[in-house]
């Protein structure tokens, strides 16, 4: 049995006996011990497994380019990043894009847009088409109902795809989704939206107007969030495959 086969066997065994994540955590700790972190392997790990909470902030910062791969530079770079944050926030206040009343989510969005040269944000956003495509594959009758109610164009796409479900899902569930987004797979957002519709299909099918459907989807019950995310990840793997470490 090869080393990869042994690792896969152990992972399946741990999951079956109730210790899911034990082997994955050890693998991540090995990756994080390298003097120069391997970005590609960290991306692949984040897409295949949920990140342990104790390492999530570090991995996100490295994958987003906030911190460099080299450990010895982290302290100095973080000092520069804090100064950069203050400068960008000050600039946004000066040009009146944010104020003391602006929500933190909106502030972060505006900071990203300013840094990436996309301020103000472009109204075009391609994920709704993908959402419609995959919902049709999973449940065409549900999509037909949305179209009959003229709800497809009025779904909470900003909440789902521009705020990445911030304010929709509780933090514990949101982190698992953002693990995938941070590591480069924004398409996971589409499958979370699809799974929300599938999970609450009976409720949505009972509503007969776009306004009622949208209002419900903007305030979904929180007790199903973990299951929704787990099923969404399964859907993502089903349609897009499972990421594999490159040699």
């Amino acid at each position: 049995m090869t080393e990869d086969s042994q690792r896969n066997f152990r992972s399946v065994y741990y999951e079956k006996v109730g210790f899911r994540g034990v082997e994955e955590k050890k693998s991540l700790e090995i990756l994080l011990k390298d003097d120069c972190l391997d970005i590609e392997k960290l991306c692949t790990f984040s897409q295949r497994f949920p990140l342990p909470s104790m390492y999530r902030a570090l991995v996100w910062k490295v994958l987003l380019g906030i911190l460099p791969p080299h450990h010895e530079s982290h302290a100095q770079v973080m000092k520069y990043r804090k100064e950069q944050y203050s400068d960008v926030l000050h600039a946004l206040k000066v040009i009146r894009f944010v104020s003391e009343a602006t929500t933190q989510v909106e502030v972060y969005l505006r900071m990203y847009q300013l840094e990436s040269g996309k301020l103000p944000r472009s109204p075009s956003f391609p994920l709704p088409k993908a959402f419609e495509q995959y919902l049709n594959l999973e449940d065409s009758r549900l999509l037909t109902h949305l179209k009959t109610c003229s709800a497809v164009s009025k779904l909470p796409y900003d909440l789902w795809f521009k705020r990445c479900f911030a304010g929709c899902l509780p933090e514990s569930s949101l982190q698992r989704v953002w693990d995938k987004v941070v590591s480069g797979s924004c398409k996971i957002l589409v499958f979370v939206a699809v799974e929300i519709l599938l999970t609450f299909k009976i409720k949505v099918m009972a509503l007969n107007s776009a306004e009622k459907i949208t209002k419900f989807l903007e305030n979904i019950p929180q007790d199903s969030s973990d299951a929704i995310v787990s099923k969404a990840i399964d859907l993502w793997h089903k349609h897009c495959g499972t990421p594999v470490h490159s040699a």
Side-chain angles (χ1 to χ4, degrees), residues 67-174:
L67 289 176
H70 298 278
H71 278 290
E72 67 271 14
S73 304
H74 285 185
Q76 188 65 29
V77 170
M78 274 309 299
K79 178 184 176 184
Y80 294 147
R81 288 298 189 187
K82 289 177 181 178
E83 294 173 355
Q84 179 185 16
Y85 176 91
S86 298
D87 290 343
V88 173
L89 181 59
H90 176 69
L92 286 170
K93 288 180 177 178
V94 169
I95 60 178
R96 298 183 179 179
F97 263 84
V98 302
S99 67
E100 297 301 327
T102 307
T103 65
Q104 201 64 49
V105 171
E106 181 76 7
V107 170
Y108 291 151
L109 174 62
R110 294 304 187 185
M111 293 180 80
Y112 165 75
Q113 290 169 343
L114 181 59
E115 285 281 273
S116 59
K118 296 177 182 177
L119 192 68
R121 71 186 181 201
S122 169
S124 62
F125 203 74
L127 288 178
K129 285 295 182 183
F131 160 78
E132 190 174 333
Q133 172 192 346
Y134 288 112
L135 181 59
N136 184 55
L137 290 173
E138 292 297 320
D139 195 322
S140 59
R141 183 166 170 262
L142 181 52
L143 178 60
T144 298
H145 174 70
L146 294 176
K147 289 182 176 179
T148 301
C149 296
S150 301
V152 174
S153 63
K154 299 178 181 179
L155 296 177
Y157 295 122
D158 277 8
L159 175 64
W160 292 348
F161 303 144
K162 290 184 179 177
R163 291 170 56 182
C164 302
F165 294 95
C168 176
L169 298 176
E171 185 175 325
S172 59
S173 303
L174 194 64

Side-chain angles (χ1 to χ4, degrees), residues 5-227:
S5 298
Q6 289 176 334
R7 183 179 298 113
N8 290 336
F9 173 80
R10 290 197 301 270
S11 296
V12 171
Y13 172 76
Y14 279 128
E15 183 171 345
K16 286 188 177 296
V17 298
F19 291 96
R20 182 178 183 178
V22 173
E23 185 73 7
E24 285 77 13
K25 182 182 177 184
K26 291 180 180 178
S27 298
L28 179 60
E29 288 173 345
I30 291 172
L31 290 176
L32 294 177
K33 285 180 180 178
D34 291 341
D35 292 335
C36 183
L37 301 178
D38 190 314
I39 303 297
E40 184 177 355
K41 287 184 178 179
L42 287 176
C43 279
T44 303
F45 183 95
S46 299
Q47 292 183 32
R48 293 193 65 184
F49 311 110
L51 288 169
S53 57
M54 63 188 299
Y55 298 123
R56 178 171 280 118
L58 172 60
V59 174
W60 282 15
K61 287 175 182 177
V62 172
L63 293 183
L64 290 170
I66 295 171
L67 289 176
H70 298 278
H71 278 290
E72 67 271 14
S73 304
H74 285 185
Q76 188 65 29
V77 170
M78 274 309 299
K79 178 184 176 184
Y80 294 147
R81 288 298 189 187
K82 289 177 181 178
E83 294 173 355
Q84 179 185 16
Y85 176 91
S86 298
D87 290 343
V88 173
L89 181 59
H90 176 69
L92 286 170
K93 288 180 177 178
V94 169
I95 60 178
R96 298 183 179 179
F97 263 84
V98 302
S99 67
E100 297 301 327
T102 307
T103 65
Q104 201 64 49
V105 171
E106 181 76 7
V107 170
Y108 291 151
L109 174 62
R110 294 304 187 185
M111 293 180 80
Y112 165 75
Q113 290 169 343
L114 181 59
E115 285 281 273
S116 59
K118 296 177 182 177
L119 192 68
R121 71 186 181 201
S122 169
S124 62
F125 203 74
L127 288 178
K129 285 295 182 183
F131 160 78
E132 190 174 333
Q133 172 192 346
Y134 288 112
L135 181 59
N136 184 55
L137 290 173
E138 292 297 320
D139 195 322
S140 59
R141 183 166 170 262
L142 181 52
L143 178 60
T144 298
H145 174 70
L146 294 176
K147 289 182 176 179
T148 301
C149 296
S150 301
V152 174
S153 63
K154 299 178 181 179
L155 296 177
Y157 295 122
D158 277 8
L159 175 64
W160 292 348
F161 303 144
K162 290 184 179 177
R163 291 170 56 182
C164 302
F165 294 95
C168 176
L169 298 176
E171 185 175 325
S172 59
S173 303
L174 194 64
Q175 288 172 342
R176 296 169 59 204
V177 175
W178 284 17
D179 284 345
K180 316 306 178 191
V181 175
V182 169
S183 60
S185 293
C186 291
K187 210 165 190 179
I188 186 64
L189 300 175
V190 172
F191 294 106
V192 175
V194 169
E195 186 54 46
I196 286 175
L197 266 296
L198 295 176
T199 297
F200 298 110
K201 174 181 176 178
I202 295 176
K203 175 67 175 180
V204 172
M205 293 290 285
L207 300 174
N208 56 10
S209 73
E211 291 73 21
K212 290 178 180 178
I213 291 172
T214 301
K215 183 177 180 180
F216 171 75
L217 293 175
E218 287 176 340
N219 299 279
I220 61 172
Q222 301 286 289
D223 54 359
S224 302
S225 297
D226 283 341

